[in-house]
Every structure is written in structure tokens, then in C-alpha cells.
């Protein structure tokens, strides 16, 4: 009898897993200790891969254990990194498994093939190679099942079990082999020697079933049935010997059946004279299946220890990131409401010339409130500070534009090369087109262009506003004597000193100042409140197998921030009441004041000085925020440039290998024309030629080692990693693209987002879509803070 059908190891190319994983870790985890620990785990994973795939494996349990541990680590790594062709990019070149070699079996072979068919193939983003096509792996799964059933038959025979049981085991094995043969009979997906082996095994198992059932018939004194079954068995093995003797030797089985048949005929002819029934009249032999496809359940290794145990799953990271986004929205919205209210109050007071109006009782000195504003402006650098900040902006803007332009230029160059080679080699150029692969990166680049355009608009608005108020701000920077000389004098209003209306206004203004101070403390409280949601999401994932991020986050935010948002509303309502009373009291105050032309001119100048102070404060804040924005955007754009460089390098490596393989393949074709390698493929040494590969032409593919989809906090369930015949093939499914943290817009006027304390955490969104609705008035985008895992 022949050896069992085996499937060869699927060869993998050299891949350094540690470098891309460590790069992602260093970009995503701020703590040096956490970085070092996770990088050590990545290096250990890379060493484990080399041990599992980088050397010939002997047929021993220890070699199988290495493969199982490697597969288990892949399943563990998959949900914790955003693997994709343009995130954590790892490029593999796979070769067809049906080549020289052999594979030692195990208890999980049929289930592994079924796992590939049912789970893994649906995750591929391109046509699979022939060896893992649905037809092929479905047939291989059935073959493994048949061979496992045959093993039970052989063991039962060796253990001398009852012939009725052995017959049923053999009959079931014959069915499995027959089904496998039918499934691939008219398909050219398996090596040609598989089909005759399947057909022969079907006949052999059926012959064994008839042989052992004949022994049972003899024991039951059914001598005619005994002869009929032996005759059928003899015909079956005769067919095998005549058609498939090149693949399977059945001489021993033929001799055994023929001896039994001759003895049975002799006894029946001389003693029993029992009628031999027709084959169609024989009772069907029963079946006993003792095998089934074993599902691939992780971990496969009994010694598995998760190298990345302390790294939370990507789904949890995404949920934490979206929670941080919701938290930032809530905090920024509350702080924006308070700052809007404060700016509104300042505007109302400035329009009423308060508190300067009730301080200006002499009519010929600078009111104390104006002196305080002047001192504050001078201490902050005055006009010189604003001029320098405005002068720095174009240089910062240009730096960011150059980084972005260079990143896109790299993509353009590689895409042009890919298009040229695709035109040249046509269908032979089998890899993902660059224009498709770079769509997410180009969308991200376009988004950055929009962000920079909005920032330029904000720059223009700030400069225009500065020119409008520059002279008045410059006046505030003058010494007190010059400032006093620039303010027109007016008749004194000493009669108002100590008046009840003035006292009421002073009290109301003091109460309003107290509201502002309370707001500052409330803002600090809102900034300082924090809660690590990692444990909450981990618990939900463990209990439910999924995370309802929105429900969990909304409930926690309400619990943590509910009292603060209520205080914000109370503060705004209290201010509204105070402003209403201040305006009413000011009307009474205005009626009591002596009204003349000099007084009106003086009051208008004092109002303008108060407004100039407010504009100076906001302009400096705008410009500093713009500087901060450009500097933070530089870091984001440098990361974007690194992503572009990484994928360009990976694509060049893949391109060079594919070109080499194509050159060798074309050279092996009859009368193949000589196609020179591109300049970048040539070697320095003259006359050196690439050695011909003994293996079939590989099918290069940019494979993915895991997002996930990260769109608005949604994490789509994707199939886990797969394991193919002792681990020489693995896939981790492609996930939707996750882009870099995107900047957020702010309003350069009044209460805009320019000075909000929290930029949102990275939100995983459709490329090109801004994370926030655009502000009512264009402003600098605010770069988001990257998400960091909370240890």
C-alpha cells in the first residue's frame, strides 16, 4: 500500500518583523519602559519566526511545537497592531506549495484546510494562489479526513477488532476517498499523481470493507454471501493493479483476497452448495466515521505565552481613542462655552466703557483699569511681540508645505515606475497597483493640504485684524505720561463720586469678576479630570466579545463630567443676569453724567483702548497657537513622510524581487527574447547574471500581517490569523486604513478653539473627512494629540 498523500511546506521569504513593529511602538507608546518591553517582544516574535520558517524542519514534535507557538503569537499580535499595506507594512512573497518535499501530519490538518476555506480566503484582497484556492483547500480537507479514517481502519486491523467494525471503518474511508476524487476529478488544481491515488484508495478501502464483511458472513454461515463479497473485492483490487500499479502496490492485498476466495469456493463446491447472490442483492455494509475536521482553536500550543500580554487589543485602543475624542469634545465644548461667555462679557463692558467710566471722575487722568491694561500689554512685549510672531508664520508654513510636497513626490515617483512596469509586463506584473494602494495616503495628503490652506486663511485674518488695531495697541504701549496726553480731557464728574448708582455698578462689576475667576477654576478642574477607560473596555471585550464603545463612553462621561457641565450652565446663567443688571444700571449712570462733546470724545478713546487690549490678548493667543499648530503639524507631517518612505521602500523591495523572478521566468521560456533589467536592478560587477531559481516562479504579493476598521469607533470583526499545514503559510487579514491624527480647526476670533486645552485624540475616519465640522469663521487647525496607551 502507498504512503499517505502529503502537502508540501509553503515557503515564505525572509521578513524582518521586529523593525516595523518597533517603529510603530516607538511612535505610539510614550513611556520608555513600555517601549522597551514591547520592542523586546517584537524581537522575540521575529526570532520565533526565523526558528519556525527560516530553517528546514525535522519530523518531530519539537518542530511542530515551534510552528504552533509561532501561529499562536500571530493570532495574539493581530488585534494589537494596525497592520496594513500602508500602516505597519510587512511584505511577503509566497511560492506554490505543490513542489518537492513532504509534510508530516497532525491532528489538525483537515481543520486547518477548512479554516483556510471558510475564514481566511474571505479576508484576502486579491486572487489566492492555486494551492490555497477554495477548490484546492476544500479537497485537501476531505483528503485529510479520508486518510485519518484510514488510520483508524489500520489500527483496528492491527488490534484484531471485530470484522464487522473493521468493515464499517473501511467502508466509510472508501466514501471519503470517493468524495475527494469526485471533488477534484475535473479540476487541474492538485498535482497529477493525487487523482490516481485517490481513485486507488477508494477501491482499496472498498475492497477491504468487502473482505472483512465476507469474514463476518462466513461466521454467520452465509457462504454464498462470503463468495460474492470476495469476488467483488477481487475485482476492485484487480482494477487497482491494472490501472494504478505505478502509484500503489496492492500485491499483498490481491494475494490475501484471492486465497480467501479460492478457499471459499472450494468449501462451497464440495460441502455447502450455497447460492452466490448477485452483487446488487448484497446488503449494504454499514459505515462508522471516527473522524471529523478539528476546528482551529487558539492557542494551539500548550506552552503558549503571549509575548504582547501587556499590550491591549487594537479594538480596545480604538475604543479608548474614540472615548478620548468624545471626552475632548465635551471638555472643549464646555470650555468654549465659558470662554465665549467671558468674551461676551468683556465686549459688553468695553462697549459701556466699564469700569473706566466710573473710575474716570477727574476727567484729566488715565483711569486705573486702562493703566492696568497698558502695563499688561507692555509686560507681554507689546507691538514687538506681535510683529515677531507674524514674521515667523510664513517660514513655519513653508517648512510644512515642503515636507508634504516631498512626501507626495515620493508616491508620484514610485507610482510612475509601477505604471511603466505594468505597461511593459502587462498581466505578468501581478501585484497591487500603486494608484490603488496609495489612495488612503493621497487622501490623507489632500486633507493636510486643506488643513494648510485653512491655516493660511487664518494667518491672513490675523494679520488683517492686527493692522486694524495696531495703532491703538501701540498707544497702550506708551508710558503713562504719553498715554495721558493722547487721551482728551473732559469736565470732571466729581459729583458722581459716592453716588448710589456708581456703587451699584461697582458691586455688579465685582460680582462679574468673581464669576470669571470661578470660571478659570472650573476650566482647570475640567482639564485635570481624567479616567483610564482601558479596564472598562477590556472587561466589556472579555464579557461580550465586542465593545459597545458609544454606550459605555456616554455613560462614563455623564458620570464623570455631569456635575461640571451643570456648573458651566449655572455660570452662564448667572452672568446673563449680571449683564442685564449692569446695562440697566449703566443707563441710569449715563443719564446722571454731564453730557458734553469733550466727555463723549474722551469716553470713545477709552473704549477703544479697552478694545485694543482685548484684541492684543486674542491676537497674541492666536499667533502663539498658530506657531504651536505649525510646529505640531511638522511632527505629524514627518510621520506621514515616514509612512510614505516606508511603503516606498517595501514596494521597491517587492518590485526588485518580482523583476528578478520575471527575468528568470522569461529566460526559461522557449525562444524568449532578452529583456534587460532596469538600471536600478543591474549589479556593479560586470558580467554577473542572476542564478536561475530551481523553484517555480513565485507569486509575489504584498501581504498583510492584520484598524481593522477604524471608522467613528467601529471595529469590524475580521477573521483571525490562519495556519496552513504546520505553519509555513499565514495570513492576517487586511483592515481598513487608519490615518494619522488630523488637526482640528479653531476660530481666531472671540472664543474660538485656538486656545482650547484639548485637541481630540486620533479618530479613525474616512480619509479626507475632517474630524470636526468647520468653524463658523476659518481658523488655524489644531493638531490632535496622538493616542497613548495608559499603562
Amino acid at each position: 500500500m502507498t504512503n499517505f498523500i502529503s502537502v508540501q511546506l509553503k515557503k515564505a521569504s525572509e521578513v524582518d518583523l521586529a523593525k516595523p513593529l518597533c517603529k510603530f511602538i516607538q511612535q505610539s507608546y510614550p513611556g520608555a519602559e513600555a517601549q522597551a518591553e514591547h520592542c523586546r517582544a517584537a524581537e522575540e516574535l521575529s526570532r520565533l519566526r526565523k526558528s519556525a520558517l527560516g530553517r528546514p524542519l525535522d519530523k518531530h514534535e519539537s518542530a511542530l511545537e515551534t510552528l504552533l507557538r509561532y501561529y499562536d503569537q500571530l493570532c495574539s499580535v493581530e488585534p494589537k497592531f494596525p497592520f496594513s499595506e500602508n500602516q505597519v507594512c510587512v511584505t511577503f512573497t509566497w511560492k506554490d506549495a505543490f513542489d518537492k518535499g513532504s509534510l508530516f501530519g497532525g491532528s489538525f490538518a483537515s481543520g486547518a484546510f477548512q479554516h483556510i476555506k471558510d475564514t481566511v480566503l474571505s479576508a484576502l484582497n486579491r486572487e489566492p494562489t492555486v494551492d490555497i484556492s477554495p477548490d484546492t483547500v476544500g479537497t485537501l480537507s476531505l483528503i485529510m479526513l479520508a486518510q485519518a479514517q484510514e488510520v483508524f481502519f489500520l489500527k483496528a486491523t492491527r488490534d484484531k477488532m471485530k470484522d464487522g467494525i473493521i468493515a464499517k471503518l473501511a467502508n466509510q474511508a472508501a466514501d471519503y476517498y470517493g468524495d475527494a476524487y469526485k471533488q477534484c476529478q475535473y479540476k487541474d488544481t492538485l498535482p497529477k499523481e493525487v487523482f490516481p491515488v485517490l481513485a486507488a484508495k477508494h477501491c482499496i478501502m472498498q475492497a477491504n470493507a468487502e473482505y472483512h464483511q465476507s469474514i463476518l458472513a462466513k461466521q454467520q454461515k452465509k457462504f454464498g454471501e462470503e463468495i460474492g463479497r470476495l469476488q467483488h473485492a477481487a475485482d476492485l483490487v484487480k482494477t487497482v493493479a491494472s490501472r494504478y500499479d505505478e502509484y500503489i502496490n496492492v500485491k499483498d492485498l490481491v494475494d490475501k483476497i484471492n486465497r480467501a476466495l479460492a478457499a471459499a469456493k472450494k468449501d462451497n463446491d464440495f460441502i455447502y452448495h450455497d447460492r452466490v447472490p448477485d452483487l446488487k442483492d448484497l446488503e449494504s455494509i454499514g459505515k462508522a466515521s471516527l473522524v471529523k475536521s478539528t476546528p482551529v482553536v487558539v492557542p494551539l500550543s500548550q506552552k503558549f505565552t503571549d509575548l504582547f500580554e501587556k499590550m491591549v487589543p487594537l479594538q480596545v485602543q480604538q475604543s479608548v481613542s474614540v472615548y478620548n475624542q468624545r471626552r475632548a469634545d465635551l471638555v472643549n465644548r464646555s470650555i468654549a462655552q465659558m470662554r465665549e461667555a467671558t468674551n461676551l462679557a468683556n465686549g459688553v463692558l468695553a462697549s459701556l466703557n466699564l469700569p473706566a467710566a466710573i473710575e474716570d471722575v477727574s476727567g484729566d487722568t488715565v483711569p486705573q483699569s486702562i493703566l492696568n491694561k497698558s502695563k499688561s500689554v507692555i509686560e507681554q512685549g507689546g507691538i514687538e511681540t506681535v510683529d515677531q510672531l507674524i514674521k515667523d508664520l510664513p517660514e513655519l508654513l513653508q517648512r510644512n508645505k515642503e515636507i508634504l510636497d516631498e512626501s507626495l513626490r515620493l508616491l508620484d515617483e514610485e507610482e510612475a515606475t509601477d505604471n511603466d512596469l505594468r505597461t511593459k509586463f502587462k498581466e505578468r506584473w501581478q501585484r497591487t497597483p500603486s494608484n490603488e494602494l496609495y489612495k488612503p495616503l493621497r487622501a490623507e495628503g489632500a486633507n493636510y493640504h486643506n488643513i494648510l490652506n485653512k491655516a493660511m486663511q487664518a494667518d491672513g485674518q490675523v494679520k488683517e485684524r492686527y493692522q486694524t488695531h495696531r495703532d491703538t495697541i501701540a498707544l497702550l504701549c506708551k508710558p503713562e505720561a504719553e498715554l495721558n496726553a493722547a487721551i482728551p480731557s473732559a469736565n470732571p464728574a466729581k459729583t458722581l463720586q459716592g453716588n448710589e448708582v456708581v456703587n451699584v455698578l461697582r458691586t455688579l462689576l465685582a460680582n462679574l469678576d468673581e464669576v470669571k475667576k470661578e470660571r478659570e477654576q472650573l476650566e482647570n478642574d475640567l482639564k485635570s479630570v481624567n479616567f483610564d477607560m482601558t479596564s472598562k473596555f477590556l472587561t466589556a471585550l472579555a464579557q461580550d466579545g465586542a465593545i459597545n464603545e458609544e454606550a459605555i463612553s456616554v455613560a462614563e462621561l455623564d458620570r464623570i463630567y455631569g456635575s461640571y457641565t451643570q456648573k458651566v450652565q449655572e455660570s452662564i446663567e448667572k452672568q446673563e443676569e449680571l449683564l442685564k443688571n449692569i446695562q440697566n444700571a449703566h443707563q441710569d449712570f449715563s443719564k446722571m453724567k454731564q453730557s458734553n462733546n469733550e466727555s463723549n470724545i474722551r469716553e470713545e478713546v477709552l473704549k477703544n483702548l479697552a478694545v485694543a487690549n482685548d484684541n492684543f490678548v486674542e491676537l497674541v493667543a492666536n499667533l502663539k497657537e498658530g506657531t504651536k499648530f505649525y510646529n505640531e503639524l511638522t511632527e505629524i507631517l514627518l510621520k506621514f513622510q515616514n509612512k510614505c518612505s516606508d511603503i516606498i521602500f517595501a514596494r521597491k523591495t517587492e518590485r526588485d524581487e518580482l523583476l528578478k523572478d520575471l527575468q528568470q521566468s522569461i529566460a526559461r521560456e522557449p525562444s524568449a527574447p532578452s529583456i534587460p533589467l532596469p538600471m536600478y536592478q543591474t549589479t556593479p560587477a560586470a558580467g554577473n547574471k542572476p542564478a536561475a531559481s530551481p523553484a517555480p516562479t513565485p507569486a509575489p504579493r504584498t501581504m498583510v500581517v492584520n484598524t481593522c476598521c477604524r471608522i467613528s469607533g467601529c471595529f469590524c470583526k475580521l477573521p483571525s490569523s490562519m495556519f496552513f499545514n504546520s505553519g509555513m503559510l499565514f495570513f492576517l487579514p487586511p483592515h481598513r486604513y487608519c490615518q494619522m491624527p488630523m488637526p482640528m480647526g479653531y476660530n481666531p476670533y472671540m472664543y474660538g478653539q485656538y486656545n482650547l486645552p484639548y485637541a481630540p485624540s486620533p479618530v479613525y475616519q474616512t480619509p479626507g473627512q475632517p474630524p470636526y465640522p468647520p468653524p463658523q469663521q476659518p481658523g488655524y487647525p489644531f493638531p490632535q494629540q496622538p493616542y497613548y496607551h495608559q499603562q
Side-chain angles (χ1 to χ4, degrees):
M1 195 171 290
T2 186
N3 293 330
F4 287 112
I5 295 172
S6 61
V7 180
Q8 290 71 36
L9 297 170
K10 189 167 180 65
K11 302 297 183 183
S13 59
E14 282 285 332
V15 174
D16 183 6
L17 290 178
K19 184 178 179 181
L21 295 185
C22 287
K23 187 170 184 178
F24 172 80
I25 290 166
Q26 290 164 357
Q27 292 175 347
S28 304
Y29 294 84
E33 184 176 345
Q35 282 187 10
E37 183 174 356
H38 296 328
C39 285
R40 283 194 297 270
E43 290 165 0
E44 177 61 27
L45 176 63
S46 188
R47 287 192 293 270
L48 182 59
R49 183 181 193 275
K50 290 180 181 178
S51 178
L53 309 183
R55 60 183 177 81
L57 296 174
D58 53 351
K59 300 178 182 180
H60 190 270
E61 285 291 331
S62 60
L64 180 60
E65 176 63 26
T66 300
L67 292 168
L68 295 182
R69 284 175 48 230
Y70 176 54
Y71 174 72
D72 288 339
Q73 290 299 340
L74 292 181
C75 294
S76 170
V77 163
E78 176 189 0
K80 297 179 180 178
F81 288 90
F83 293 104
S84 71
E85 287 185 298
N86 40 24
Q87 282 291 102
V88 180
C89 181
V90 183
T91 303
F92 296 95
T93 300
W94 298 109
K95 300 188 179 182
D96 198 306
F98 298 126
D99 192 6
K100 294 180 180 180
S102 61
L103 174 71
F104 53 92
S107 62
F108 57 91
S110 178
F113 286 120
Q114 197 62 38
H115 181 69
I116 297 171
K117 180 180 178 183
D118 296 342
T119 305
V120 176
L121 292 178
S122 62
L124 297 182
N125 60 352
R126 63 187 306 165
E127 285 296 317
T129 49
V130 172
D131 57 335
I132 59 166
S133 66
D135 286 342
T136 303
V137 293
T139 303
L140 289 173
S141 177
L142 198 51
I143 292 173
M144 297 302 135
L145 209 59
Q147 294 186 151
Q149 180 74 16
E150 183 180 352
V151 168
F152 278 103
F153 158 76
L154 294 173
K155 186 176 188 304
T157 304
R158 187 191 65 183
D159 294 345
K160 301 186 185 312
M161 296 180 69
K162 293 180 179 180
D163 290 286
I165 294 175
I166 297 175
K168 289 180 173 61
L169 293 174
N171 198 33
Q172 180 66 73
D175 263 17
Y176 283 146
Y177 278 119
D179 291 343
Y181 179 77
K182 291 175 185 176
Q183 194 167 349
C184 63
Q185 186 176 9
Y186 302 107
K187 298 182 178 69
D188 188 22
T189 56
L190 291 172
K192 62 180 181 179
E193 62 270 15
V194 171
F195 309 122
V197 170
L198 292 177
K201 284 292 191 80
H202 171 67
C203 293
I204 291 170
M205 286 295 101
Q206 198 171 355
N208 274 295
E210 296 290 354
Y211 172 76
H212 286 280
Q213 191 69 17
S214 74
I215 296 175
L216 181 61
K218 181 179 180 180
Q219 291 169 357
Q220 297 172 348
K221 302 188 183 303
K222 299 177 181 178
F223 304 109
E225 179 183 341
E226 176 192 9
I227 295 172
R229 292 192 181 281
L230 287 171
Q231 285 176 340
H232 187 206
D235 291 340
L236 288 167
V237 294
K238 182 180 179 181
T239 300
V240 174
S242 62
R243 295 184 182 179
Y244 311 119
D245 61 326
E246 179 184 351
Y247 303 98
I248 293 181
N249 184 355
V250 291
K251 184 178 182 302
D252 292 341
L253 182 59
V254 169
D255 292 344
K256 180 171 69 171
I257 292 173
N258 286 339
R259 285 195 302 270
L261 179 58
K265 284 184 175 180
K266 182 179 179 181
D267 289 345
N268 194 51
D269 289 342
F270 288 97
I271 303 172
Y272 306 117
H273 305 291
D274 197 6
R275 185 183 68 85
V276 178
D278 290 339
L279 180 62
K280 67 178 184 303
D281 296 330
L282 293 174
E283 289 186 10
S284 176
I285 302 173
K287 300 172 186 175
S289 177
L290 297 182
V291 297
K292 65 178 180 179
S293 295
T294 304
V296 176
V297 179
V298 180
L300 294 172
S301 170
Q302 299 298 317
K303 302 177 182 178
F304 169 69
T305 302
D306 188 356
L307 292 174
F308 296 90
E309 183 176 6
K310 294 185 179 179
M311 184 182 288
V312 299
L314 192 62
Q315 187 177 0
V316 174
Q317 294 184 36
Q318 293 170 342
S319 297
V320 170
S321 178
V322 177
Y323 163 80
N324 288 336
Q325 173 77 46
R326 295 181 189 278
R327 172 177 170 268
D329 288 347
L330 186 150
V331 171
N332 286 347
R333 188 165 55 250
S334 297
I335 291 177
Q337 286 178 321
M338 290 191 292
R339 292 188 176 181
E340 179 182 10
T342 298
N343 288 332
L344 175 63
N346 290 339
V348 170
L349 295 184
S351 69
L352 301 177
N353 192 27
L354 293 174
I358 58 176
E359 295 170 350
D360 188 29
V361 292
S362 66
D364 55 5
T365 60
V366 182
Q368 187 60 44
S369 62
I370 299 298
L371 288 176
N372 292 341
K373 288 176 170 57
S374 174
K375 181 181 178 182
S376 175
V377 170
I378 293 171
E379 287 177 350
Q380 295 181 62
I383 289 292
E384 290 77 11
T385 296
V386 182
D387 287 340
Q388 186 60 49
L389 288 171
I390 288 179
K391 182 180 177 183
D392 292 341
L393 286 182
E395 182 179 345
L396 298 174
L397 170 66
Q398 184 62 27
R399 178 181 64 186
N400 285 316
K401 290 178 65 177
E402 289 173 356
I403 295 172
L404 180 58
D405 291 344
E406 175 62 16
S407 303
L408 297 177
R409 186 191 66 79
L410 292 173
L411 297 180
D412 291 339
E413 282 189 358
E414 200 286 327
E415 184 175 323
T417 302
D418 182 69
N419 290 337
D420 290 343
L421 291 170
R422 192 172 303 280
T423 301
K424 181 176 183 179
F425 292 105
K426 296 182 171 49
E427 68 276 358
R428 289 176 180 266
W429 196 248
Q430 296 179 356
R431 72 168 185 169
T432 306
S434 294
N435 62 345
E436 292 182 12
L437 186 62
Y438 297 158
K439 283 180 180 177
L441 287 172
R442 293 199 180 279
E444 187 174 354
N447 209 4
Y448 289 139
H449 264 305
N450 292 335
I451 293 294
L452 285 174
N453 288 336
K454 290 179 181 178
M456 292 170 62
Q457 293 175 10
D459 290 348
Q461 289 177 340
V462 170
K463 291 176 183 177
E464 182 180 349
R465 186 177 183 185
Y466 176 52
Q467 292 304 318
T468 302
H469 300 281
R470 190 181 191 282
D471 292 342
T472 317
I473 295 173
L475 181 58
L476 272 178
C477 298
K478 301 290 184 181
E480 181 178 351
E482 294 184 35
L483 181 61
N484 190 31
I487 301 174
S489 298
N491 292 332
K494 293 183 179 179
T495 55
L496 297 177
Q497 226 172 4
N499 188 280
E500 182 63 24
V501 173
V502 174
N503 292 337
V504 169
L505 271 174
R506 284 200 175 103
T507 301
L508 291 172
L509 291 174
N511 291 341
L512 186 59
D513 285 338
E514 187 63 30
V515 169
K516 293 179 184 178
K517 290 178 182 177
E518 290 174 356
R519 254 184 223 147
E520 291 176 2
Q521 183 60 47
L522 185 55
E523 180 174 326
N524 292 332
D525 292 343
L526 277 166
K527 293 177 185 178
S528 61
V529 172
N530 197 4
F531 183 76
D532 184 11
M533 291 290 290
T534 303
S535 58
K536 284 272 185 185
F537 291 131
L538 280 172
T539 301
L541 185 61
Q543 290 177 348
D544 306 328
I547 299 175
N548 187 340
E549 180 277 327
E550 182 176 5
I552 297 173
S553 296
V554 170
E556 284 300 307
L557 289 173
D558 185 63
R559 182 183 68 82
I560 298 169
Y561 290 98
S563 60
Y564 292 101
T565 54
Q566 183 177 351
K567 289 179 181 178
V568 169
Q569 295 304 316
E570 291 173 354
S571 173
I572 293 173
E573 291 171 2
K574 186 175 182 180
Q575 173 179 297
E576 290 175 353
E577 184 66 24
L578 283 170
L579 287 178
K580 179 181 177 181
N581 294 334
I582 287 171
Q583 288 173 315
N584 291 336
H586 184 267
Q587 287 181 357
D588 295 340
F589 174 76
S590 297
K591 292 176 182 177
M592 297 175 60
K593 283 181 64 176
Q594 180 179 0
S595 178
N596 55 51
N597 190 46
E598 293 84 359
S599 177
N600 291 335
I601 295 174
R602 176 180 175 84
E603 185 165 336
E604 187 65 27
V605 172
L606 293 177
K607 286 181 183 180
N608 290 338
L609 288 172
V611 171
N613 172 76
D614 293 340
N615 277 283
F616 173 81
V617 171
E618 290 189 25
L619 283 168
V620 170
N622 278 338
L623 290 167
K624 286 183 176 179
E625 194 60 45
T627 302
K628 178 174 179 286
F629 160 77
Y630 283 126
N631 288 330
E632 291 185 357
L633 185 60
T634 298
E635 295 181 11
I636 294 174
L637 289 175
L638 287 173
K639 290 181 180 179
F640 175 70
Q641 188 179 53
N642 286 338
K643 277 200 300 185
C644 294
S645 300
D646 287 349
I647 193 170
I648 294 300
F649 179 80
R651 293 283 282 181
K652 181 182 182 302
T653 303
E654 180 187 51
R655 178 188 69 201
D656 292 349
E657 186 171 353
L658 179 55
L659 276 170
K660 179 180 178 182
D661 290 330
L662 281 172
Q663 187 74 8
Q664 294 171 358
S665 176
I666 293 172
R668 289 195 295 268
E669 294 177 357
S671 303
S674 175
I675 298 180
L677 288 171
M679 290 299 294
Y680 56 78
Q681 282 287 98
T682 58
T683 57
N688 289 350
K689 296 182 180 180
S693 172
T697 302
R701 351 179 124 207
T702 302
M703 300 304 294
V704 181
V705 190
N706 177 354
T707 232
C708 85
C709 156
R710 295 194 276 186
I711 304 295
S712 301
C714 169
F715 182 68
C716 302
K717 292 224 173 241
L718 292 172
S720 63
S721 315
M722 58 81 60
F723 182 81
F724 180 86
N725 274 357
S726 301
M728 296 307 288
L729 159 69
F730 68 88
F731 298 93
L732 289 168
H735 297 308
R736 217 175 303 180
Y737 174 65
C738 312
Q739 63 184 30
M740 291 292 294
M742 297 299 295
M744 179 182 83
Y746 84 90
N747 185 345
Y749 297 96
M750 296 296 289
Y751 66 95
Q753 294 172 338
Y754 67 89
N755 51 5
L756 297 186
Y758 289 109
S761 301
V763 58
Y764 305 101
Q765 62 210 25
T766 304
Q769 175 185 348
Y772 279 91
Q776 293 299 315
Q777 296 168 322
Y780 290 112
F782 195 161
Q784 295 184 356
Q785 301 169 354
Y787 163 72
Y788 294 120
H789 166 57
Q790 302 292 328
Q791 291 280 37

